[in-house]
């Protein structure tokens, strides 16, 4: 390896896809360089071409629908020297893939074979590439599972993918990628959907393995905080093109391109709470190309309505000694003998006009608590008092009358919309069920008005969910929740799957609607920077219990509980800190 020479150089790469509507230029004239022991970040919104670039490098794109229009991918092979990966035979590429260049994919559950044990999937790679005999491969696999810090590596050998947590599955994927000690590792969104503490452990593991093996890493993410944490240099992609490349320090502290400035400004910061988050549109107009928009000035919100109402009004929602348990084991006669205490003796209040943030690791009981409040899950004991009425004592008929006043926005907007029903009819249905307005014509007018209010068009009424982006689908779900004129909404991870720019738009929309419609929120998220921006108070959960509840600014500045401190320390490289 020549000192100072890249081990992998992508030059003038262009990739097109053939669709029914014509050619789509997914990647346009992309240049990238990877060096041993260094991490290069690739950041951008969904659809910017990040993953397509990685799949083109790995020669994993389907030839039936994709074509490489131009470019080369030069790999400094230890035996063959400079080798264009786009020109080598399939047999040679199979030798390189997994052996010299490995990839960790975004979703481990769909990347792992569900009908093969984890150990078998790892030993297969070792045997295929001639790194070990079948007998020795098993011993090496146990060692690899130990290296990626999986508990009880011997038992993981016999485990099925569905028996592991998200973080454990990702560690299995990393062990598979590292099996042949590759020179280059491509990590495509490896921590998406993981909570901050698991995410931190995965990032630390990858950095540890990189140091051990002197790997070059291409780290793909839409999370700017993670790129800031792990990368030495980075490239920003938009519409298939690289718009800016440089050191991470320069890109985040002194971005040159308006789009890079927009991505940096869109992410909620821990050191300030502006009235409104900046969006990409604020930066990409001619007038504001060089200056940050006025809406993102370092202003702090004024007095919150809930702070006054908490002194003069009764709480809108009171939760008292709530327990929600799930049966984990039954005896021979089918009687429950063991329970998982998902929500364990939780008590709190939410005041009119307040946003209460709810944070914690995956499995801590956040979503179960939200759904127990809504009576979508039946609690074992306790009270949920909404506007003076204990929801637990209401009959199904009485509860239905209450339903319009408290709504929920689910985490996955696509899964919560029926694919075969137009979005207009999906919003119309709850209006018909609850007898809102006199006739269908009046209801359609109201839906059209609300669609426009959430940033969509009245003409979208007859379109289907698959015709919208993730951010647009989330807006549809917000409109559906608002159509019944609620007072209280549970937002369950409602922006967790969105790009940072779309996330900013949705967060701004939720705050605007809160003011315009007089709403009260319980805002559930594993992204602590988002929770701090949105919330008046924050409640921290661990193992089904509430461990801390305080004002949002106070809890971040001076956390009292050990677990709260761990969560805050695990926030990946906040871009308000200089690297």
């Amino acid at each position: 390896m020549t000192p100072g020479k890249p081990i992998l150089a992508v030059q003038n790469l262009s990739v097109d896809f053939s669709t029914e509507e014509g050619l789509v230029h997914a990647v346009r004239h992309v240049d990238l360089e990877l060096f041993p022991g260094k991490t290069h970040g690739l950041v951008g919104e969904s659809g910017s071409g990040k993953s397509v670039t990685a799949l083109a490098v790995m020669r994993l794109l389907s030839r039936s629908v994709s074509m490489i229009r131009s470019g080369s991918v030069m790999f400094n092979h230890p035996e063959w020297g400079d080798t264009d990966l786009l020109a080598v035979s399939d047999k040679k590429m199979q030798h390189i893939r997994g052996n010299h260049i490995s990839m960790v994919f975004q979703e481990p559950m769909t990347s792992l074979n569900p009908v093969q044990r984890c150990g078998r999937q790892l030993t297969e790679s070792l045997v295929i590439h001639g790194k070990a005999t079948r007998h020795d491969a098993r011993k090496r696999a146990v060692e690899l599972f130990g290296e990626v810090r999986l508990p009880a590596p011997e038992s993981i050998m016999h485990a099925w993918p569905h028996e592991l947590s998200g973080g454990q599955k990702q560690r299995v994927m990393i062990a598979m990628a590292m099996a042949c000690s590759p020179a280059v590792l491509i990590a495509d969104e490896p921590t998406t959907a993981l909570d901050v503490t698991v995410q931190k452990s995965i990032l630390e593991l990858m950095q540890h393995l990189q140091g051990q093996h002197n790997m070059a890493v291409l780290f793909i993410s839409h999370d700017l905080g993670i790129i800031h944490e792990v990368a030495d240099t980075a490239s920003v992609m938009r519409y298939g093109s690289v718009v800016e490349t440089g050191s991470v320090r320069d890109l985040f502290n002194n971005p040159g391109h308006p789009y890079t400035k927009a991505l940096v400004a869109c992410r909620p910061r821990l050191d300030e709470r502006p009235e409104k988050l900046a969006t990409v549109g604020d930066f990409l107009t001619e007038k504001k190309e060089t200056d940050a928009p006025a809406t993102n000035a370092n202003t702090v919100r004024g007095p919150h309505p809930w702070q006054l109402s908490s002194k003069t009004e009764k709480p809108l929602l009171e939760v008292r000694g709530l327990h929600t348990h799930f049966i984990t084991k039954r005896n021979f006669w089918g009687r429950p003998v063991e329970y998982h205490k998902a929500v364990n003796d939780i008590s709190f209040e939410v005041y009119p006009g307040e946003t209460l943030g709810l944070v914690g690791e995956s499995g801590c009981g956040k979503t179960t608590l939200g759904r127990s409040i809504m009576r979508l899950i039946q609690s074992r004991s306790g009270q949920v008092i909404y506007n003076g009425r204990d929801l637990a004592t209401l009959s199904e008929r009485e509860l239905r009358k209450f339903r319009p006043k408290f709504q929920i926005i689910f985490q996955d907007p696509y899964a919560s919309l029926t694919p075969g029903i137009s979005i207009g009819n999906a919003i119309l249905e709850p209006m018909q069920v609850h007898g809102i307005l006199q006739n269908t014509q009046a209801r359609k007018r109201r839906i059209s008005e609300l669609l426009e209010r959430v940033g969509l068009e009245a003409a979208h009424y007859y379109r289907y969910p698959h015709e919208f982006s993730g951010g647009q689908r989330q807006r549809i779900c917000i409109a559906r929740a608002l159509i019944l004129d609620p007072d209280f909404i549970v937002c369950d991870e409602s922006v967790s799957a969105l790009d940072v720019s779309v996330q900013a738009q949705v967060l701004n929309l939720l705050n605007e609607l809160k003011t315009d419609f007089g709403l009260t929120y319980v805002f559930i998220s594993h992204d602590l920077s988002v929770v701090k921006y949105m919330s008046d108070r924050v409640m921290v959960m661990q193992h089904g219990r509430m461990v801390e509840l305080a004002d949002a600014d106070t809890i971040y500045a001076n956390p009292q509980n050990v677990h709260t401190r761990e969560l805050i320390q695990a926030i990946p490289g906040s871009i308000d800190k200089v690297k």
Side-chain angles (χ1 to χ4, degrees):
M1 184 72 204
T2 307
K5 182 179 180 179
I7 192 168
L8 187 80
V10 178
Q11 300 167 346
N12 195 36
L13 180 66
S14 295
V15 181
D16 291 350
F17 284 93
S18 178
T19 69
E20 294 178 358
E21 298 176 357
L23 282 180
V24 174
H25 305 297
V27 174
R28 310 180 186 199
H29 311 294
V30 166
D31 295 326
L32 296 171
E33 290 185 338
L34 303 183
F35 294 87
K38 299 292 183 182
T39 298
H40 187 81
L42 195 57
V43 63
E45 299 171 90
S46 296
S48 63
K50 307 185 301 296
S51 293
V52 174
T53 300
L55 293 172
V57 170
M58 295 292 288
R59 288 262 300 268
L60 291 174
L61 292 174
S62 171
R63 293 176 183 173
S64 62
V65 294
S66 69
M67 60 190 80
I68 307 293
R69 279 294 184 190
S70 67
S72 62
V73 179
M74 303 305 297
F75 173 59
N76 192 349
H77 194 279
E79 300 169 18
W80 309 330
D82 284 342
T83 304
D84 186 358
L85 301 184
L86 302 182
V88 299
S89 66
D90 288 345
K91 188 174 182 180
K92 280 192 173 182
M93 192 62 208
Q94 285 176 1
H95 168 75
I96 293 171
R97 191 189 300 123
N99 193 6
H100 299 289
I101 306 175
S102 288
M103 187 165 179
V104 179
F105 295 93
Q106 180 171 353
E107 179 44 67
M109 194 61 228
T110 55
S111 303
L112 292 170
N113 189 335
V115 296
Q116 276 193 3
R117 298 184 190 274
C118 294
R120 173 68 185 277
Q121 298 187 55
L122 179 51
T123 56
E124 183 181 42
S125 177
L126 291 165
V127 173
I128 286 175
H129 290 293
K131 297 295 182 181
T133 64
R134 289 206 173 272
H135 179 268
D136 293 336
R138 190 185 184 286
K139 182 180 178 182
R140 177 61 184 142
V142 174
E143 291 174 355
L144 283 164
F145 283 150
E147 284 182 27
V148 298
R149 301 169 190 171
L150 278 164
E154 282 281 358
S155 65
I156 298 292
M157 289 290 293
H158 302 284
W160 302 96
H162 72 269
E163 296 178 306
L164 305 181
S165 69
Q168 287 174 330
K169 285 195 284 277
Q170 199 60 284
R171 288 171 187 269
V172 171
M173 285 293 300
I174 293 171
M176 291 171 63
M178 295 299 302
C180 299
S181 299
V184 177
L185 178 67
I186 299 173
D188 186 7
E189 302 268 12
T191 58
T192 297
L194 300 179
D195 60 64
V196 286
T197 49
V198 177
Q199 177 179 267
K200 182 182 180 183
S201 67
I202 294 293
L203 295 178
E204 288 175 346
L205 170 63
M206 293 184 69
Q207 289 174 314
H208 171 71
L209 294 172
Q210 180 183 28
Q212 271 191 329
H213 300 276
N214 198 35
M215 286 187 305
V217 176
L218 178 64
F219 197 102
I220 300 170
S221 181
H222 67 264
D223 191 320
L224 295 163
I226 292 177
I227 293 295
H228 185 271
E229 180 85 7
V230 303
D232 302 289
T233 56
S235 296
V236 180
M237 288 191 72
R238 185 171 190 243
Y239 298 151
S241 300
V242 173
V243 298
E244 189 169 3
T245 298
S247 72
V248 168
R249 183 186 183 94
D250 290 342
L251 283 178
F252 289 102
N253 293 328
N254 188 28
H257 193 278
Y259 182 65
T260 310
K261 293 179 182 179
L263 290 181
V264 173
C266 286
R267 182 176 171 82
R269 297 166 62 104
L270 291 176
D271 61 344
E272 62 180 38
R273 299 179 72 191
E275 290 286 346
K276 187 176 180 181
L277 290 172
T279 62
V280 170
D282 294 325
F283 283 81
L284 296 182
T285 56
E286 272 187 46
K287 184 179 179 183
K288 296 178 181 178
E289 264 198 6
T290 56
D291 300 316
T295 54
N296 200 43
N298 292 348
T299 55
V300 179
R301 293 184 188 142
H304 302 288
W306 77 271
Q307 290 175 315
L308 301 176
S309 63
S310 64
K311 297 176 182 177
T312 60
E313 298 180 29
K314 292 182 179 179
L316 181 66
L317 178 78
E318 297 178 77
V319 176
R320 295 279 175 261
L322 193 66
H323 292 259
T324 303
H325 299 172
F326 295 108
I327 300 167
T328 57
K329 188 176 179 180
R330 296 178 185 269
N331 63 16
F332 179 78
W333 294 274
R335 293 173 182 168
V337 292
E338 290 184 11
Y339 296 89
H340 169 61
K341 298 179 179 180
V343 175
N344 192 4
D345 195 21
I346 296 282
S347 299
F348 62 93
E349 303 88 26
V350 185
Y351 290 90
E354 180 184 13
T355 297
L356 178 69
L358 187 53
V359 297
E361 297 175 304
S362 296
C364 72
K366 305 187 299 294
T367 294
T368 302
L369 175 58
R371 296 189 179 194
S372 298
I373 291 170
M374 301 290 298
R375 252 189 78 174
L376 297 176
I377 295 175
Q378 192 62 44
S379 300
R380 185 179 177 89
S381 62
Q383 293 180 296
V384 178
I385 301 169
Y386 174 79
N387 226 1
R389 294 289 301 274
D390 186 353
L391 301 184
T393 64
L394 299 180
S395 67
E396 290 294 331
R397 188 168 185 174
E398 290 173 321
L399 183 63
R400 176 172 285 194
K401 292 180 181 179
F402 262 78
R403 283 277 182 218
K405 289 302 177 184
F406 53 99
Q407 293 291 302
I408 186 168
I409 302 169
F410 294 99
Q411 178 173 356
D412 186 344
Y414 193 75
S416 56
L417 292 169
T418 304
I421 297 179
S422 71
I423 62 110
N425 286 334
I427 300 172
L428 176 66
E429 185 179 26
M431 298 183 77
Q432 294 172 328
V433 168
H434 292 286
I436 307 297
L437 300 181
Q438 294 79 15
N439 53 55
T440 300
Q441 188 177 5
R443 290 167 186 156
K444 284 186 175 181
R445 280 199 302 269
R446 174 68 179 130
I447 292 169
S448 297
E449 291 170 1
L450 193 53
L451 286 174
E452 291 178 350
R453 179 64 190 84
V454 299
L456 297 171
E457 298 175 14
H460 289 161
Y461 185 102
Y462 297 100
R463 291 191 186 179
Y464 290 86
H466 73 272
E467 298 180 85
F468 296 91
S469 68
Q472 287 175 319
R473 284 196 288 266
Q474 199 59 282
R475 290 169 185 268
I476 293 164
C477 291
I478 292 170
R480 184 175 60 180
L482 288 174
I483 200 69
L484 299 178
D485 193 25
D487 298 322
F488 174 80
I489 297 179
V490 173
C491 304
D492 186 9
E493 298 273 12
S494 52
V495 295
S496 63
L498 303 179
D499 294 319
V500 65
S501 57
V502 180
Q503 175 183 276
Q505 296 171 13
V506 174
L507 293 178
N508 285 340
L509 174 64
L510 288 171
N511 277 331
E512 290 169 10
L513 295 172
K514 178 183 174 181
T515 301
D516 293 350
F517 290 84
L519 300 172
T520 302
Y521 293 143
V522 167
F523 190 91
I524 302 171
S525 180
H526 65 263
D527 189 327
L528 278 78
S529 57
V530 169
V531 169
K532 181 178 185 293
Y533 174 73
M534 289 293 291
S535 305
D536 302 304
R537 289 186 300 156
V538 173
M539 183 167 79
V540 182
M541 287 187 67
Q542 184 185 29
H543 304 320
R545 290 185 175 274
M546 179 179 73
V547 297
E548 190 162 359
L549 174 62
D551 175 84
D553 292 319
T554 302
I555 211 168
Y556 281 80
N558 187 27
Q560 299 299 304
N561 185 269
V562 173
H563 183 61
T564 308
R565 287 196 291 272
E566 289 173 351
L567 290 176
I568 293 171
Q569 289 166 2
I571 299 173
S574 293
I575 53 182
D576 48 299
K577 301 173 184 175
V578 176
K579 186 173 181 178

